[in-house]
Amino acid sequence: MTLDIKICGLKTGEAVDKAVSLGASHVGFIFFPKSPRNIEPSDAGRLADCARGRAKIVAVTVNADNDLLDEIVDQLAPDILQLHGSESPERVLNLKAVYGLPVMKAFSVREADDFKKIEPYIGIADRFLFDAKPPAGSDLPGGNGVTFDWTLMHLLDGGVDYMLSGGLNKDNLAEAIRLTGAPGIDLSSGVESAPGVKDLGLMEAFFEAARKAECETAVGGRGK
């Protein structure tokens, strides 16, 4: 696939192996205690072994302090740090310098003005991730299974590399790609039978939908 697909919130070896065998370009491990997908760094490191060299290993954190990041980098040896909190451009630069790793910075989107927030990070973050703003009452910055208005992505500068996230599943993937032309897709709840529980059948169905969507966009063009 030319489309990058990141399966995030993995917690079992079976799910990791399935994601990679189906063609995932990235596998994500979440280090955020409030999330049902939270995992210990040592467990994530063990699970990532079967994916290493086959897919990019992504460590997902939310305003993590240096002690936690030290442990994650030591135990997981990730390829990418994904920052899903309120980390400043200065913090992103510092982490890149300290760990020598590329950073994917996540932002929540609801309206056009939300894209202004990424401007200070352009040229600093290596990639962006755009997710829907969490619903009222949610403690989770992502993984809530809700979408946003994908037509807003046309406001983004064409030179910005990103992954699209938020409520994606096998049924709406083709529409998301058609409207955005996204070069990468990130999903978690869209392949789960319950929060934090990956469903191998749903994963298979999603990748089948992704292959079909890629064929369609190859004919019709993306973002049209």
Side-chain angles (χ1 to χ4, degrees):
M1 287 187 181
T2 57
L3 178 70
D4 283 347
I5 297 180
K6 173 170 164 277
I7 304 297
C8 202
L10 293 162
K11 295 181 68 176
T12 69
E14 187 179 33
V16 173
D17 185 64
K18 189 68 169 180
V20 176
S21 67
L22 287 170
S25 59
H26 299 65
V27 290
F29 299 92
I30 295 175
F31 306 96
F32 185 56
K34 292 182 179 181
S35 172
R37 305 167 187 95
N38 183 57
I39 191 170
E40 291 299 318
S42 57
D43 293 333
R46 175 176 52 80
L47 296 179
D49 284 344
C50 72
R52 207 172 300 280
R54 302 164 65 198
K56 297 290 186 182
I57 311 299
V58 184
V60 182
T61 63
V62 182
N63 298 319
D65 61 25
N66 288 3
D67 288 342
L68 176 57
L69 287 167
D70 285 346
E71 183 182 4
I72 291 168
V73 171
D74 178 64
Q75 296 289 328
L76 178 61
D79 298 300
I80 300 168
L81 296 177
Q82 180 179 320
L83 308 180
H84 222 299
S86 58
E87 300 88 356
S88 68
E90 293 75 21
R91 176 66 169 163
V92 174
L93 277 173
N94 175 258
L95 294 180
K96 290 178 65 171
V98 169
Y99 298 110
L101 293 170
V103 166
M104 179 155 53
K105 183 69 182 78
F107 286 89
S108 298
V109 177
R110 180 177 292 137
E111 56 192 11
D113 281 351
D114 290 324
F115 287 105
K116 295 179 180 178
K117 298 174 185 176
I118 80 164
E119 292 174 3
Y121 296 83
I122 294 176
I124 294 176
D126 298 276
R127 196 172 199 178
F128 293 93
L129 183 144
F130 295 108
D131 200 350
K133 285 188 181 294
S138 174
D139 290 328
L140 307 179
N144 292 291
V146 294
T147 62
F148 64 94
D149 181 0
W150 294 320
T151 63
L152 292 173
M153 295 306 301
H154 290 292
L155 300 172
L156 189 67
D157 185 289
V160 173
D161 189 23
Y162 72 95
M163 283 189 159
L164 183 69
S165 187
L168 295 165
N169 56 53
K170 64 180 179 61
D171 297 319
N172 62 19
L173 176 64
E175 181 74 354
I177 293 174
R178 185 184 69 80
L179 289 174
T180 67
I185 295 293
D186 172 276
L187 77 158
S188 186
S189 61
V191 288
E192 290 182 344
S193 57
V197 182
K198 293 294 184 284
D199 185 301
L200 304 188
L202 288 176
M203 289 173 66
E204 290 177 354
F206 180 84
F207 277 91
E208 181 179 348
R211 285 188 289 271
K212 182 178 179 181
E214 278 216 297
C215 290
E216 291 173 352
T217 54
V219 174
R222 288 189 177 182
K224 301 298 183 184

